[in-house]
Amino acid sequence: MVDYHATNNQSLYSAGGPQIYMEQENDWDRDLLLDPAWEKQQRKVRASESPGAAAGACAMRYLFLRKLLSCLPRPQEGAMSKIMQLYNNNNYYYYLFFKAKIVDGNAKMTLGMIWTIILRFAIQDISVEETSAKEGLLLWCQRKTAPYKNVNVQNFHISWKDGLAFNALIHRHRPELIDYDKLRKDDPVTNLNNAFEVAERYLDIPKMLDAEDIVNTARPDEKAIMTYVSSFYHAFSGAQKAETAANRICKVLAVNQENEHLMEDYEKLASDLLEWIRRTIPWLENRAPEKTMTEMQQKLEDFRDYRRVHKPPKVQEKCQLEINFNTLQTKLRLSNRPAFMPSEGRMVSDINGAWHKLEGAEKGYEEWLLNEIRRLERLDHLAEKFRQKAAIHESWTDGKEAMLTQKDYETASLSEIKALLKKHEAFESDLAAHQDRVEQIAAIAQELNELDYYDSPSVNARCQKICEQWDALGSLTQSRRESLERTEKQLESIDELYLEYAKRAAPFNNWMEGAMEDLQDMFIVHNIEEIQGLITAHDQFKSTLPEANKEREAIQAIQAEVQKIAQYNGIKLAGNNPYTTITPQSIDKKWEKVQQLVPQRDQALQEELARQQSNDHLRRQFANQANMIGPWIQNKMEEIGRISIEMNGTLEDQLTHLRQYEQSIIEYKPNIDQLEGDHQLIQEALIFDNKYTAYTMEHLRVGWEQLLTTIARTINEIENQILTRDAKGISQEQLHEYRTSFNHFDKDHSGVLQAEEFKACLISLGYDVENDKQGDAEFGRIMGIVDPNNSGAVTFQAFIDFMSRETTDTDTADQVIASFKILAGDKNYITAEELRRELPPDQAEYCIARMAPYTGPDAVPGALDYMSFSTALYGESEDSQEPIELTYHPPSRPEEEFLCENVKSAQSVVLSSSNNIREILQKTSFLMF
């Protein structure tokens, strides 16, 4: 604290007397002391300090003494201590010393001392934005005159010569006194006289200057103009308070406007994202099957386009939405605003829920697509198999009904009848052999119906025709047998060799037909093992060909033996074998066909083997990449978790490191794209399983998106910490201490503190939250701040928000109400006109649009309720702060005595209002805590 008694004694009353004090005034231009014109002007300015001043040196001395006496300390009345008596005697001793000098007519010293007093008591206390005296007064003038044309205040001499600056100061505070638009820059005398007369008449400011002296002087006296301008500053000090109040309100409103803009952006982005999800889900839930493989493959391609093109930007939008929401909540906490609650249905949880539903529909749609493609593939295979078997069967049945209905046995000989009977037996054997094929045709048709084949009606019609024809053949066969058996007794001769030929040729012929059917049968496999199984089965079939060839040669030998016997015995054969239609030529032809089909089957199986080997290569190629990318993503997630709890360097260093880390992750994206390409090749090859990896493309996609989201969230957390640090004035050391304490109690490195861990952390920081009634209540209060959702866990962001709130100060609702009260002239309401006059246009209209009408007993038309508006900005109004006790010391200067005239008899002062405490402390620096 400054000892003003000591200061006064060392300055005014030191050994050098007044001359030494005068030498300490650094801005005293000594050359001007020798200028008679300057002395004349100074006499006028100093004399004007007393409204009753008269011209002449005698009157000047009288006025100065009178002013000096009014400023000197008065003797202490009543009982005085020895020290106080000496103090009063010394004051008057030095007063007589100066009086003698003044009476002697020392005009220079007299004027200099008067300037010192003016500087001390009229100018010295002026301060604008922590500047003082001359600089503060100049800054005040520049701000007040900034809106006026032809005014540019840069100093206290030539900037005032045209008189417009004086008129601008008056018009800014009392616009009804001056018509500023009628003033002309080229008429300085009129301008100056107008300002001086208005100031003297309406503002009680003496006319200290002459217009002609200012205009006719190349550089008007700086001290004279500064003294005169300081009178305007003091006259308009009330307006200065209003401007301070307006600045505070503008600051608060600017924060609120920015927050509202962020809220609107969030609402729009959330609405757009939810609308996109709403439109997309029905498309993904549409399970209408297509009839052909081509149409389903087009659906699959459309789904791939959605995955590659349409969804990734929405993933980024969702991540950015969460980041914007967290940043907005941080800004609201930092400005003591209530937390932002999005409109119904647009919460982050709502968006996450909709996104989860979207991903569920997406997964179900992909599974449906692949299953439907498998179904259509199976259907195409079955339909082709049905057509082949039906064609073979229809070819075999062609002409059979005519054969079974002919009456050849009525005119045949016994041998012919016996032959017909044997032939019929062979036919029955052949018919029985075809029973399996008919059953297979019916089974395939049934499966096509069950799989909802689009051309099922034609399949069913063809199958029905085959079954009806088969039943008819059975009936006809039975009927012919009965006819032949009736005449069998009449027929005895038969050619045993023909019969043996027929019996052996029929099954062999049927075997060849079955072999040809199997060799031409379509096959579908999905892996190497299945195709290798088919190749093994085919090799086993080829191994039976030598035995089959022996059987063919044996059958052909029977026919050769018939020819040999007939020739030897001179028998004329009636024609072909009467017991069968299978000729040696047909057997050889079918055997040749089997021989041709075997290598064709070999080639088809080898081609399929090559395709499956290619598919296996695609599986391995995808698996190799997936088995690297999957652990890489997992490691990156773990590394981000470690980085988020480590403390390496400043927050800016951590942010730079994280952004570099994010860039390295983004640069890994080509690997993901390459894997997507491999996955597309797998899908195009209709590969549905992969034994070489446990990772699926869907799993890796989700992991990649989570990785990008996690690093973005971690960066946002550091940015919010920087925002908190800068807004709250937290030092890097404090943040380091907070992080150290947080990490120490975060035993499981989860990034959050459970309730008991957080309590231990608070105890280590000095909070009284021990397990007693009072401690539990205090801990409950703190948990309500850091964990408003009752999750039982405290994040690091919530922890530093709490610690910064405990250690820093911010604007409060009470402070904003006090500022509005100043603008309202101490009324309980404010008008729109007052808001437009005191605030910038946009912020004035912002308040007017949001303030409710004032309804108090003193309300007037158009009154607005600024109290409820201010409270709404911050939520509930803060409780009053604890009283501050101040110790009183006797004042050592006249202005101090004036400020303390209401408390000079008290031993201490208790200030219960927190709103004006700083203002009081600034003006009463002689009060000690």
Side-chain angles (χ1 to χ4, degrees):
M1 173 166 178
V2 179
D3 186 346
Y4 288 98
H5 298 293
T7 302
N8 289 338
N9 291 337
Q10 291 175 4
S11 59
L12 284 173
Y13 310 122
S14 58
Q19 182 62 29
I20 293 177
Y21 181 84
M22 292 165 63
E23 291 173 355
Q24 293 174 347
E25 296 295 327
N26 294 329
D27 56 354
W28 193 315
D29 192 343
R30 297 193 175 279
D31 292 338
L32 291 176
L33 292 175
L34 303 178
D35 186 358
W38 174 86
E39 180 176 340
K40 176 183 176 182
Q41 188 179 52
Q42 294 300 312
R43 288 177 182 272
K44 181 173 182 61
V45 174
R46 298 342 181 225
S48 64
E49 290 293 305
S50 173
C58 218
M60 186 66 198
R61 293 190 186 108
Y62 168 75
L63 290 174
F64 168 68
L65 291 173
R66 179 176 157 191
K67 184 67 175 180
L68 182 60
L69 285 171
S70 68
C71 294
L72 287 174
R74 293 190 297 274
Q76 301 293 321
E77 298 178 358
M80 294 187 294
S81 66
K82 184 67 174 177
I83 294 176
M84 290 304 300
Q85 290 174 356
L86 293 174
Y87 170 72
N88 290 332
N89 289 338
N90 288 339
N91 283 345
Y92 282 94
Y93 170 78
Y94 288 110
Y95 155 65
L96 292 176
F97 169 79
F98 284 115
K99 178 179 179 182
K101 290 292 184 179
I102 293 169
V103 172
D104 288 344
N106 191 335
K108 302 296 184 182
M109 180 171 288
T110 301
L111 293 173
M113 290 303 298
I114 293 174
W115 165 248
T116 301
I117 292 170
I118 293 171
L119 180 65
R120 180 76 175 268
F121 295 108
I123 300 176
Q124 180 172 293
D125 289 336
I126 295 175
S127 177
V128 177
E129 289 190 356
E130 299 183 0
T131 62
S132 61
K134 180 179 177 180
E135 291 79 8
L137 185 60
L138 184 62
L139 178 59
W140 180 79
C141 294
Q142 289 171 340
R143 288 185 174 178
K144 294 301 180 181
T145 61
Y148 293 88
K149 62 181 181 179
N150 297 327
V151 177
N152 183 17
V153 177
Q154 297 297 327
N155 49 56
F156 285 110
H157 38 82
I158 61 175
S159 295
W160 304 82
K161 284 189 67 173
D162 58 12
L164 292 178
F166 290 112
N167 284 276
L169 279 180
I170 297 172
H171 185 270
R172 178 63 182 269
H173 297 90
R174 296 289 299 277
E176 75 277 6
L177 299 180
I178 291 179
D179 189 353
Y180 185 84
D181 294 333
K182 290 185 177 181
L183 300 178
R184 302 200 320 272
K185 186 175 180 65
D186 58 357
D187 192 2
V189 174
T190 301
N191 297 341
L192 290 166
N193 284 330
N194 181 68
F196 296 160
E197 291 170 2
V198 170
E200 186 172 35
R201 177 179 301 176
Y202 297 104
L203 303 178
D204 198 23
I205 297 176
K207 186 177 181 182
M208 304 180 186
L209 307 171
D210 287 329
E212 291 76 8
D213 291 343
I214 294 176
V215 173
N216 296 330
T217 303
R219 188 176 186 273
D221 180 65
E222 188 175 46
K223 296 181 179 63
I225 292 179
M226 190 188 306
T227 302
Y228 187 53
V229 171
S230 69
S231 300
F232 287 91
Y233 178 87
H234 292 296
F236 297 134
S237 60
Q240 183 69 17
K241 293 180 180 179
E243 181 179 359
T244 302
N247 289 338
R248 177 186 291 275
I249 292 170
C250 289
K251 175 185 174 184
V252 172
L253 294 179
V255 171
N256 215 56
Q257 287 173 309
E258 181 184 1
N259 290 341
E260 286 189 355
H261 178 68
L262 291 175
M263 294 175 191
E264 293 171 358
D265 288 347
Y266 173 88
E267 291 282 348
K268 183 179 184 305
L269 188 57
S271 298
D272 292 346
L273 184 57
L274 287 171
E275 175 61 21
W276 178 80
I277 294 174
R278 185 192 65 78
R279 294 195 313 268
T280 304
I281 287 178
W283 175 69
L284 294 173
E285 291 179 342
N286 181 13
R287 303 293 195 270
E290 300 295 344
K291 293 181 179 180
T292 65
M293 177 72 76
T294 302
E295 293 172 327
M296 287 306 299
Q297 286 177 338
Q298 182 58 48
K299 278 184 176 288
L300 182 60
E301 186 62 31
D302 293 341
F303 181 71
R304 289 182 183 136
D305 286 342
Y306 157 80
R307 275 272 180 78
R308 293 192 303 261
V309 179
H310 301 290
K311 185 183 177 186
K314 299 304 177 181
V315 173
Q316 295 297 323
E317 288 180 15
K318 178 176 176 292
C319 178
Q320 188 62 43
L321 187 72
E322 295 179 4
I323 290 175
N324 291 351
F325 181 84
N326 293 335
T327 301
L328 174 59
Q329 298 292 35
T330 299
K331 289 187 176 183
L332 289 172
R333 286 196 302 271
L334 294 178
S335 57
N336 278 349
R337 275 24 172 219
F340 168 56
M341 290 296 294
S343 57
E344 184 177 358
R346 292 183 177 87
M347 295 287 290
V348 173
S349 59
D350 296 325
I351 294 171
N352 287 335
W355 190 264
H356 181 70
K357 183 177 179 182
L358 172 74
E359 291 183 332
E362 179 180 312
K363 182 178 179 182
Y365 187 72
E366 183 177 30
E367 292 175 353
W368 173 79
L369 278 176
L370 297 178
N371 290 333
E372 191 64 19
I373 288 175
R374 292 191 190 100
R375 185 182 71 84
L376 290 176
E377 182 185 36
R378 174 68 176 164
L379 283 174
D380 288 346
H381 170 71
L382 289 174
E384 182 61 26
K385 191 170 185 178
F386 173 85
R387 286 190 288 270
Q388 286 185 359
K389 288 185 176 294
I392 292 172
H393 178 76
E394 289 167 349
S395 176
W396 178 83
T397 59
D398 185 36
K400 293 298 188 292
E401 289 187 11
M403 182 194 72
L404 292 173
T405 57
Q406 64 183 343
K407 305 296 183 180
D408 55 337
Y409 56 85
E410 294 179 350
T411 58
S413 64
L414 178 61
S415 60
E416 291 173 341
I417 291 299
K418 288 185 177 290
L420 289 175
L421 183 60
K422 297 300 181 180
K423 179 180 179 181
H424 188 72
E425 290 177 353
F427 173 77
E428 285 182 330
S429 176
D430 196 10
L431 183 67
H434 281 78
Q435 178 69 31
D436 289 339
R437 181 178 292 112
V438 174
E439 292 175 354
Q440 290 175 5
I441 290 172
I444 293 173
Q446 178 64 26
E447 189 172 0
L448 287 171
N449 279 284
E450 291 174 353
L451 294 177
D452 195 23
Y453 182 53
Y454 76 96
D455 199 22
S456 291
S458 63
V459 170
N460 293 336
R462 191 172 184 180
C463 180
Q464 182 67 26
K465 181 179 179 181
I466 289 173
C467 291
E468 290 174 353
Q469 187 183 40
W470 182 256
D471 292 337
L473 286 177
S475 299
L476 291 174
T477 300
Q478 181 65 26
S479 177
R480 184 172 177 80
R481 167 175 277 280
E482 293 173 353
S483 298
L484 290 173
E485 287 177 348
R486 284 194 302 268
T487 58
E488 183 179 11
K489 295 178 181 181
Q490 303 171 4
L491 302 175
E492 295 177 348
S493 81
I494 188 154
D495 192 338
E496 292 295 335
L497 290 174
Y498 273 166
L499 182 59
E500 183 182 1
Y501 173 90
K503 288 183 178 181
R504 295 184 68 172
F508 183 73
N509 182 75
N510 189 62
W511 175 86
M512 286 192 299
E513 289 180 349
M516 287 189 294
E517 183 178 344
D518 291 339
L519 289 172
Q520 298 179 85
D521 187 20
M522 294 181 63
F523 55 84
I524 178 170
V525 295
H526 297 95
N527 52 56
I528 292 180
E529 289 75 12
E530 292 180 1
I531 188 61
Q532 287 176 340
L534 291 178
I535 292 174
T536 300
H538 183 61
D539 290 340
Q540 291 176 351
F541 166 76
K542 289 192 294 183
S543 68
T544 65
L545 290 178
E547 288 296 327
N549 189 42
K550 289 180 181 179
E551 177 67 12
R552 182 186 66 81
E553 290 175 350
I555 293 172
Q556 297 292 47
I558 292 174
Q559 180 66 25
E561 183 67 20
V562 169
Q563 296 294 337
K564 181 179 179 181
I565 292 174
Q567 291 176 2
Y568 180 78
N569 295 304
I571 300 173
K572 186 177 181 180
L573 297 175
N576 294 329
N577 192 322
Y579 305 111
T580 181
T581 60
I582 302 172
T583 66
Q585 294 79 12
S586 67
I587 290 176
D588 288 341
K589 185 176 180 179
K590 289 180 179 179
W591 177 256
E592 183 179 353
K593 181 66 173 177
V594 170
Q595 294 294 94
Q596 293 174 353
L597 290 176
V598 167
Q600 293 177 7
R601 184 73 167 182
D602 285 334
Q603 181 179 356
L605 290 172
Q606 290 301 318
E607 288 175 354
E608 182 62 25
L609 177 62
R611 190 174 77 87
Q612 290 301 326
Q613 288 174 340
S614 174
N615 289 351
D616 200 60
H617 172 72
L618 292 177
R619 289 188 182 96
R620 292 177 183 274
Q621 179 175 305
F622 176 83
N624 291 337
Q625 278 290 97
N627 291 336
M628 289 190 298
I629 291 175
W632 183 87
I633 291 175
Q634 182 63 30
N635 290 337
K636 292 300 179 183
M637 291 290 288
E638 294 173 357
E639 288 177 10
I640 293 172
R642 289 196 299 271
I643 291 173
S644 65
I645 62 174
E646 291 176 354
M647 301 171 294
N648 297 325
T650 64
L651 289 178
E652 285 75 8
D653 294 337
Q654 296 176 34
L655 184 60
T656 300
H657 178 57
L658 281 172
R659 284 177 174 159
Q660 293 172 350
Y661 200 80
E662 181 185 37
Q663 184 60 34
S664 70
I665 291 175
I666 294 173
E667 291 172 355
Y668 196 75
K669 181 64 163 55
N671 296 306
I672 304 296
D673 295 337
Q674 180 182 348
L675 191 65
E676 285 282 6
D678 294 342
H679 181 252
Q680 182 172 345
L681 293 176
I682 283 179
Q683 286 193 330
E684 290 173 351
L686 300 178
I687 300 172
F688 304 111
D689 58 348
N690 194 337
K691 65 182 180 181
Y692 302 113
T693 181
Y695 294 101
T696 65
M697 194 64 231
E698 179 65 25
H699 180 200
L700 294 176
R701 282 195 202 102
V702 172
W704 174 253
E705 293 169 0
Q706 288 178 346
L707 178 62
L708 293 177
T709 301
T710 300
I711 187 63
R713 286 173 178 166
T714 304
I715 289 174
N716 182 243
E717 288 175 2
I718 298 298
E719 291 173 338
N720 286 341
Q721 291 177 28
I722 292 174
L723 187 62
T724 302
R725 180 198 65 191
D726 295 342
K728 298 294 186 179
I730 302 174
S731 66
Q732 186 65 37
E733 291 73 16
Q734 285 177 303
L735 278 176
H736 187 275
E737 180 182 352
Y738 295 160
R739 173 54 83 178
T740 301
S741 299
F742 189 90
N743 289 349
H744 176 75
F745 291 98
D746 183 15
K747 302 299 185 183
D748 57 356
H749 304 294
S750 62
V752 297
L753 296 182
Q754 302 303 318
E756 291 302 318
E757 293 175 335
F758 181 58
K759 176 181 283 190
C761 181
L762 289 177
I763 293 173
S764 72
L765 294 173
Y767 284 84
D768 185 12
V769 291
E770 296 289 353
N771 293 325
D772 54 32
K773 185 175 182 180
Q774 182 177 357
D776 290 343
E778 175 64 9
F779 182 67
R781 180 190 71 82
I782 295 175
M783 283 298 291
I785 296 173
V786 299
D787 182 25
N789 296 325
N790 296 322
S791 65
V794 180
T795 65
F796 181 65
Q797 183 64 42
F799 175 67
I800 61 173
D801 284 346
F802 169 74
M803 295 304 299
S804 62
R805 184 181 302 176
E806 293 286 299
T807 56
T808 58
D809 184 28
T810 58
D811 290 331
T812 65
D814 290 338
Q815 290 173 328
V816 175
I817 290 174
S819 299
F820 272 117
K821 198 173 187 69
I822 292 174
L823 298 185
D826 211 34
K827 300 190 300 293
N828 291 326
Y829 60 85
I830 195 168
T831 66
E833 180 181 357
E834 289 170 332
L835 287 172
R836 291 189 177 101
R837 184 175 70 240
E838 299 294 345
L839 300 180
D842 59 333
Q843 293 183 339
E845 298 304 324
Y846 178 84
C847 290
I848 293 169
R850 287 163 175 77
M851 282 187 182
Y854 176 71
T855 58
D858 54 340
V860 299
L864 300 175
D865 186 354
Y866 62 80
M867 293 186 182
S868 60
F869 172 75
S870 301
T871 302
L873 291 177
Y874 293 90
E876 293 296 328
S877 179
E878 296 182 354
D879 297 334
S880 297
Q881 298 180 3
E882 290 293 327
I884 299 176
E885 184 172 323
L886 306 176
T887 303
Y888 173 76
H889 290 272
S892 61
R893 298 189 300 178
E895 69 274 19
E896 294 173 357
E897 180 175 321
F898 172 76
L899 289 170
C900 295
E901 63 183 353
N902 293 325
V903 296
K904 66 170 68 173
S905 63
Q907 295 300 315
S908 65
V909 182
V910 176
L911 303 174
S912 61
S913 172
S914 63
N915 292 331
N916 59 356
I917 187 168
R918 287 183 174 82
E919 181 180 352
I920 293 174
L921 291 177
Q922 289 170 356
K923 293 183 178 179
T924 56
S925 58
F926 49 87
L927 293 176
M928 295 292 290
F929 285 92

